[in-house]
Amino acid sequence: MDSLPTDVELWARAVDGDAEAFGVIFDRHARAVYNHCFRRTADWSEAEDITSVVFLEAWRRHKELRPERDSALPWLLGVANNVLRNRYRAKRNHRDALDRMAAMSAEPDPADDVAGRIDDERRMRRVLATVNRLSLADQEVLSLCVWAELSYEDAAIALDVPVGTVRSRLSRARARLKKLLASSSGNAREPAGSTAHRRGERHTALRPPVEES
């Protein structure tokens, strides 16, 4: 049986005008990008919007860029980080008001799926309340290496930094996060998971960010 084409091969086909090849790349990596965006925002709807922007940007630039490794995921997560940074800057002055609105909107709903989404977002906000006390560089390396489970080499591609920088940042981020967790009282334990939410089928994308790889 023929082996499946790599992302590099699919990308080359897309450059030659094969839109279906790019669709295969989307099918392979959309869930991972979606999970990554949720872990950085604690909001399923916003994660969905950002995922759409990431793949629109990837398609817009598909003739300019090629994946550096067999998988396009590190590059796609790098695009996601850029979109997230831009959104954070735009929302910085309004974050407190948005948090209050989100808390007010979390009303009970008879639909299990909606209730599950609200529960995921509430718990993810508790995680981010601690993680967001780290520097942006530490947040990014944790989300890529621990939550998205990228290798050091792939995280280096996503962050556009040397592999050694990824290693040192991750070690520093873990140490700082452990200190923050140790100093905080009533720290809630979060369930682990790696799959994304789908309508009618709720899973969690939460994972403790201080687990050793």
Side-chain angles (χ1 to χ4, degrees):
M1 185 174 66
D2 294 338
S3 60
L4 295 175
T6 65
D7 287 357
V8 173
E9 293 169 335
L10 290 168
W11 204 283
R13 295 180 192 175
V15 171
D16 290 337
D18 185 351
E20 290 185 3
F22 189 83
V24 175
I25 292 177
F26 175 88
D27 290 340
R28 284 181 179 177
H29 302 303
R31 177 176 290 192
V33 173
Y34 185 28
N35 276 334
H36 176 72
C37 295
F38 171 72
R39 292 164 184 145
R40 299 294 306 282
T41 63
D43 186 312
W44 287 117
S45 295
E46 187 171 5
E48 189 170 0
D49 290 343
I50 295 172
T51 299
S52 298
V53 172
V54 168
F55 281 95
L56 284 172
E57 177 68 8
W59 176 252
R60 186 180 70 83
R61 303 179 62 189
H62 76 281
K63 292 187 177 180
E64 306 171 22
L65 302 171
R66 301 288 180 95
E68 296 183 32
R69 298 167 67 86
D70 285 345
S71 173
L73 183 59
W75 184 80
L76 291 169
L77 293 182
V79 174
N81 280 344
N82 289 334
V83 176
L84 286 160
R85 289 188 201 112
N86 291 336
R87 291 209 173 198
Y88 288 153
R89 281 193 289 265
K91 292 168 57 177
R92 187 172 299 158
N93 294 331
H94 305 284
R95 186 171 297 160
D96 290 341
L98 290 176
D99 286 344
R100 288 194 295 270
M101 291 174 62
M104 291 172 60
S105 67
E107 300 174 354
D109 192 290
D112 290 341
D113 187 54
V114 174
R117 287 167 66 96
I118 292 172
D119 186 55
D120 279 350
E121 291 173 0
R122 184 184 298 115
R123 289 187 291 167
M124 198 69 219
R125 282 196 296 270
R126 288 205 301 268
V127 174
L128 291 184
T130 301
V131 174
N132 285 347
R133 294 170 65 185
L134 302 174
S135 68
L136 181 59
D138 286 355
Q139 293 175 42
E140 290 178 345
V141 76
L142 273 174
S143 66
L144 292 171
C145 292
V146 179
W147 276 327
E149 299 182 335
L150 291 192
S151 67
Y152 292 128
E153 292 78 11
D154 285 346
I157 293 172
L159 296 171
D160 194 23
V161 297
V163 172
T165 300
V166 172
R167 292 177 182 273
S168 61
R169 283 186 186 176
L170 182 59
S171 176
R172 179 187 65 195
R174 278 182 165 147
R176 290 179 177 175
L177 187 57
K178 285 181 179 178
K179 288 182 179 178
L180 289 173
L181 292 173
S183 64
S184 63
S185 59
N187 178 52
R189 184 179 179 182
E190 303 296 338
S194 61
T195 57
H197 166 82
R198 288 179 173 178
R199 289 182 177 83
E201 180 190 48
R202 189 185 68 80
H203 298 287
T204 179
L206 303 177
R207 159 174 274 175
V210 291
E211 288 184 350
E212 295 296 334
S213 59

